[in-house]
Amino acid sequence: QHLRPLKARKVGDQNNEGITWIKPLNGKLWISTWGNGLLIYDPVSRQFKTIRLKARIVHHFALYTTSAGSFVIAGTELGYALINTVTLDVQEQAMAGEIRHVFVDKSNTVWLATDNGVLYSKPPSAGIFTFQLDSWVNDLHQTTIDKHRLIGRFFRTKSRYFATLIYANGVLEFDKNWQLKRYIPSLSTDQNNTALRDIRCIHETGNNYWATTDGGLIKCSKTLQPLT
């Protein structure tokens, strides 16, 4: 079957170079953009509301719920922003590097993928702490991982967490206690096959994983071995 858009709607102005993430919340669509910050679209009124941020680029965001309320944590080119989903009050925190992905795990620990490695904050701690993931990989494996731009995105399956490494450096596999199980440099035995080293997403269906790569969509076993 051919896919075609049912409806199209312009998001933002001429400064918006694209939509980076979209998520439904409380009957509305929260939309992060590359150039217009964070927007909320009301499908009933068909109106957009702009969340006033200093940051113009919002790479990604995630929902974070505590006893203090429900919040959206947005990773930006300036650091991160914390937005109350009811009052829309905003707190922005500047950081040394961009935050490219926000991940909240089942224990409500917040994981941030940054240009300087991985940061995490465990509840009820108020701080962000560095997780020296890049040095572990570089010390124990002979890789060409650029430690200043390490993590692309986080993904969860029933029994694992995965962190993809940008610049065609493979993926890291963790158990559900965030113990690093192994580093997978590529889905191919040919290390010159750059396309299969650039792993963008991992999704679980039944007894298989599906990995999106620069070489296409790859069906894999639960050990991330490509299936023919």
Side-chain angles (χ1 to χ4, degrees):
Q1 294 183 351
H2 296 287
L3 299 178
R4 64 181 186 276
L6 299 177
K7 291 183 180 179
R9 180 168 292 275
K10 182 180 179 180
V11 175
D13 57 26
Q14 68 275 7
N15 294 316
N16 182 22
E17 297 184 24
I19 294 173
T20 57
W21 191 247
I22 186 169
K23 188 175 182 66
L25 182 62
N26 298 331
K28 297 180 175 62
L29 291 178
W30 287 58
I31 304 168
S32 59
T33 71
W34 190 287
N36 277 160
L38 188 63
L39 307 172
I40 301 176
Y41 177 67
D42 186 335
V44 177
S45 66
R46 299 185 180 181
Q47 298 296 314
F48 286 95
K49 181 178 180 61
T50 302
I51 302 297
R52 296 192 177 278
L53 303 175
K54 294 178 183 178
R56 306 304 296 167
I57 299 173
V58 179
H59 294 293
H60 189 256
F61 62 89
L63 184 64
Y64 183 69
T65 303
T66 70
S67 58
S70 176
F71 300 88
V72 160
I73 303 177
T76 76
E77 91 272 26
L78 302 178
Y80 69 88
L82 192 64
I83 304 105
N84 188 300
T85 60
V86 177
T87 66
L88 301 185
D89 290 339
V90 175
Q91 300 176 53
E92 287 188 83
Q93 178 66 48
M95 301 189 72
E98 300 187 41
I99 294 181
R100 301 182 180 277
H101 191 78
V102 181
F103 183 81
V104 180
D105 68 19
K106 63 180 182 179
S107 67
N108 225 28
T109 297
V110 179
W111 298 82
L112 306 175
T114 82
D115 283 0
N116 298 306
V118 179
L119 306 176
Y120 70 92
S121 179
K122 286 189 174 184
S125 171
I128 301 290
F129 302 90
T130 299
F131 181 47
Q132 298 295 336
L133 193 62
D134 53 316
S135 62
W136 193 99
V137 174
N138 283 320
D139 289 345
L140 299 186
H141 297 276
Q142 296 299 314
T143 71
T144 58
I145 291 174
D146 178 352
K147 64 182 179 181
H148 297 296
R149 293 180 179 272
L150 177 65
I151 302 296
R153 291 186 180 272
F154 298 104
F155 299 95
R156 65 160 60 91
T157 65
K158 290 181 180 179
S159 61
R160 290 288 188 264
Y161 292 124
F162 292 94
T164 59
L165 307 181
I166 58 179
Y167 300 138
N169 279 303
V171 64
L172 300 172
E173 180 181 350
F174 302 83
D175 65 18
K176 281 303 177 85
N177 294 316
W178 284 103
Q179 294 298 312
L180 186 59
K181 305 302 293 184
R182 60 180 177 147
Y183 165 57
I184 305 167
S186 175
L187 296 183
S188 172
T189 56
D190 179 7
Q191 295 303 307
N192 292 320
N193 188 342
T194 305
L196 294 189
R197 295 207 315 261
D198 213 335
I199 302 168
R200 305 298 183 106
C201 174
I202 294 175
H203 180 71
E204 183 177 32
T205 57
N207 295 322
N208 300 108
Y209 288 148
W210 291 84
T212 58
T213 73
D214 279 8
L217 181 64
I218 311 295
K219 184 179 181 180
C220 301
S221 67
K222 286 298 182 70
T223 58
L224 274 182
Q225 297 296 315
L227 301 175
T228 56

